[in-house]
Amino acid sequence: MKKNIIAMNASIMIGLGSILAAPSVYAESISNLEKQKESIQEKRSGVESNISETEKKIDNLQDKQMTAEDQIAALEAKIAESAKKIDAKNAEITQTKKEIEALKEEIKVLKERIAKRNEVLKERALSFQETGGDVNYLEVLFGSSSFGDLVDRVGAVATIAEADRDILKQHELDKKDLEEKQQAVETKLASLEVAKAELLEIQKQQKQQKQEKDALVKKLKQQTKKHEDEKMGLEEEKANLAAQEKAIKSAISLEHQRLAELEAARKKAAAEAKKRAEQEAAQAAAQAASQASQASETKKQSTSSGYSAKSNSSSSSSQSSSNVSQAPAVSSGTFTRPSAGYVSSTMGERWNKQHAGIDIAASGTVPVVAAADGVVSRSYFSSSYGNVVFVTHSIGGQQWTTVYAHLSSRQVGEGAVVAKGQQVGIMGNTGHSFGQHLHFELHKGPWNYSKSNAVNPLNYIPN
């Protein structure tokens, strides 16, 4: 009898001991979740810092772009001003060339005049040579018929001599004027051509500077676009980290709730164990005279306990056999397959980009299920992912994130607690997608824009 009581008490203590040990397991789980939450908060802080730095870069690039655009506007004004000056020089050159043409006509007339004077002077020189010069004048003087005629003849001779001197003088003046005019217009034309060449060179340099500024603005715009895209990615990462932090907080709350329930169960079990021990002791004392009766009673209790366990096992088996139509069977591993269908694309390089997950394709209405127990951190429509669900998991102290993209519809919202194999949506073709399929990603840690935590799902889920 004492042996039976000792054995019974030992059995109760072993059961109670397992209950007492459980809180430490949950406490460790909570501690791990708290560490994950702190890690996410640190990452959020880092992402916010990166967003701030990216915004500064964008502002700096935009300032440089505005400065360059102002410089381009100034250069365009200078180029326009140079064009006006060049047009003015062209007009002056055209006018000077007209003046040169007009001068050519004057020169032509002047040359004809000089040529005629040359003929007159040649005749005079020939006459002077033939007569000896003064003979003509003597003949004029001695050939006069009266004094009045003499005066007239002397006056005529003086007039002719003076006329000769005037012809020579005018001849020299015309030649000098001709040379000066030619030199003046040629100098003016050369000066205009030089000025025009200088203006053209200035304009060429201005256009070159404008091309350089245009190239700079284009480069700045490209850099700005790159940083803006980076900022959008960082903001999406920040939103996901915030959602994951919220999910972790929800998981911590659930763990605390479970711990509280477990503590209540522990206290209840301890009270029941104490009560049962007292009852067993009383029963043992009352039944000391009848060993066989007590043995029969013990056998009856054992049979009843076995039946109950069998009944529970049958009920559990019945529940587990109930599966959603077309959904894959829930596997026993850490992660189960998220949908039926065939793997149409694996993880790796695709279209010169990193494909951070796998694609599972199938036709018809195909349910998509959670790959493991977790909390929905995000459920929204993305321009790239389409309808997408993010689930945060805490497995053995390690945070995991699963992504279910291109869904036709979502059946869970943010903050929802999902069980392994629970439906989260329907396979679809939304977002940047070509044909109905599920894009499934598995991240060892939180999701980030660069997807540096992504691992190959085929290494973790059943094929």
Side-chain angles (χ1 to χ4, degrees), residues 365-385:
T365 303
V366 184
V368 175
V369 302
D373 297 345
V375 179
V376 177
S377 54
R378 292 206 76 186
S379 178
Y380 71 114
F381 185 86
S382 163
S383 59
S384 56
Y385 280 135

Side-chain angles (χ1 to χ4, degrees), residues 431-448:
H432 190 64
S433 170
F434 304 97
Q436 179 172 295
H437 70 285
L438 167 68
H439 175 73
F440 177 68
E441 294 178 10
L442 179 61
H443 300 261
K444 192 172 184 179
W447 180 95
N448 56 52

